[in-house]
């Protein structure tokens, strides 16, 4: 049974849109990406040629697993603690899994590293969304936007999406090897802060969510 209702107010914004004034949001992120930093750097020259794209600093590289689509301040502390407990219980049922990160793809609003395969990651996404909807009222659990990915750049809301990405994609394909393999052993619940132009995302750590052995 759901145990908390987010404060009524603005409809949750779509991915890439500006959040309501003062909002932060809880997300489940994959942040153990030290091995990915060299891959991200190998694409930097191409990103710098993509007018309007803002590179993601290495310390903020992440793969979104799930989000809680309401203002984090509306979630009472007992509910947040229950969310942490249930996420840990659910994630413990999922074994650690290998994940290939890369190569890079040029989407209209970002340049991102693809991830493969999807089976372990997708199972984790589904489990986290289910827990969020179990604990937090309002049907506010959302999966990561599309297949798993690690964004290397974002375009500000003021610039808008770039529909002419073919040339950038061709340059991204020239980067070799452009990928790396990691083992996902856990994720993190974080409180995410969005910049005023919706082009930068930083976070405060809330809790570690380990996967099973």
């Amino acid at each position: 049974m759901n145990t908390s209702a987010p404060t009524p107010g603005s409809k949750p914004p779509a991915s890439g849109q500006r959040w309501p004034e003062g909002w932060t949001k809880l997300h489940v992120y994959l942040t153990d990406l030290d091995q990915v930093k060299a891959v991200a750097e190998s694409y930097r020259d191409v990103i710098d040629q993509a007018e309007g794209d803002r590179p993601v600093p290495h310390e903020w590289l992440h793969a979104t697993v799930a989000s809680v689509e309401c203002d984090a301040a509306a979630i009472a502390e007992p509910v947040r603690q229950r969310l942490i407990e249930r996420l840990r219980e659910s994630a413990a049922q999922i074994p650690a899994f290998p994940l290939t990160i890369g190569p890079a793809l040029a989407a209209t609003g970002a340049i991102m590293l693809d991830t493969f395969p999807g089976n372990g990651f997708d199972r984790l996404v589904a489990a986290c969304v289910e827990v969020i909807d179990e604990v937090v009222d309002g049907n506010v659990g959302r999966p990561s936007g599309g297949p798993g990915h690690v964004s290397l750049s974002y375009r500000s809301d003021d610039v808008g999406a770039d529909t002419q990405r073919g040339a950038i994609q061709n340059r991204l394909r020239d980067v070799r090897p452009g990928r790396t393999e990691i083992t996902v052993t856990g994720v993190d619940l974080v409180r995410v802060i969005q910049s005023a132009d919706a082009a930068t995302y930083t976070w405060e750590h809330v809790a570690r969510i380990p996967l099973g052995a």
Side-chain angles (χ1 to χ4, degrees), residues 35 38-40 42-43 100-104 113 172-181:
Q35 291 176 245
V39 175
S42 71
Y43 285 108
T100 299
I101 299 183
L113 294 170
L172 293 172
R173 291 187 65 192
D174 290 337
V175 177
R176 293 290 188 269
R179 70 187 73 196
T180 189
E181 294 187 5

Side-chain angles (χ1 to χ4, degrees), residues 124-145:
L124 180 60
V125 169
C128 289
V129 171
E130 181 179 5
V131 167
I132 292 167
D133 283 336
E134 169 196 325
V135 175
V136 184
D137 198 14
N139 189 33
V140 291
R142 295 291 183 276
S144 58

Side-chain angles (χ1 to χ4, degrees):
M1 179 177 179
N2 292 332
T3 56
S4 173
T7 302
S10 302
K11 179 181 178 181
S15 177
Q17 292 181 335
R18 298 187 190 190
W19 301 349
E21 183 70 25
W23 266 38
T24 61
K25 291 198 291 187
L26 295 180
H27 284 65
V28 180
Y29 275 174
L30 169 60
T31 63
D32 296 336
L33 297 176
D34 283 346
Q35 291 176 245
V36 179
K37 293 177 181 178
V39 175
E41 187 62 29
S42 71
Y43 285 108
R44 181 60 187 267
D45 287 345
V46 181
I47 292 172
D48 287 344
Q49 297 174 50
E51 185 176 354
D53 280 65
R54 185 175 302 177
V56 175
H58 290 172
E59 65 182 304
W60 303 119
L61 290 171
H62 64 278
T64 300
V65 177
S67 62
V68 184
E69 291 298 313
C70 66
D71 184 4
I75 302 174
E77 181 61 24
V79 177
R80 189 169 75 163
Q81 290 302 316
R82 175 61 177 162
L83 178 61
I84 293 169
E85 293 171 3
R86 287 291 298 115
L87 285 171
R88 286 174 172 166
E89 291 171 0
S90 183
Q93 305 304 311
I94 301 174
F97 57 88
L99 192 68
T100 299
I101 299 183
L105 305 172
T108 55
I111 292 172
M112 61 186 68
L113 294 170
D114 197 12
T115 67
F116 180 84
N119 46 7
F121 192 86
D122 291 346
R123 182 182 175 189
L124 180 60
V125 169
C128 289
V129 171
E130 181 179 5
V131 167
I132 292 167
D133 283 336
E134 169 196 325
V135 175
V136 184
D137 198 14
N139 189 33
V140 291
R142 295 291 183 276
S144 58
H149 62 274
V150 176
S151 292
L152 299 180
S153 73
Y154 295 107
R155 298 176 63 80
S156 87
D157 192 48
D158 294 327
V159 173
D162 179 5
T163 58
Q164 306 296 322
R165 301 292 261 183
I168 294 298
Q169 182 63 63
N170 288 339
R171 296 189 188 106
L172 293 172
R173 291 187 65 192
D174 290 337
V175 177
R176 293 290 188 269
R179 70 187 73 196
T180 189
E181 294 187 5
I182 68 171
T183 299
V184 179
T185 60
V187 291
D188 295 284
L189 182 67
V190 298
R191 185 176 73 89
V192 179
I193 301 97
Q194 183 193 58
S195 64
D197 61 0
T200 303
Y201 297 86
T202 59
W203 62 82
E204 297 174 353
H205 185 264
V206 176
R208 181 65 174 170
I209 312 296
L211 271 62

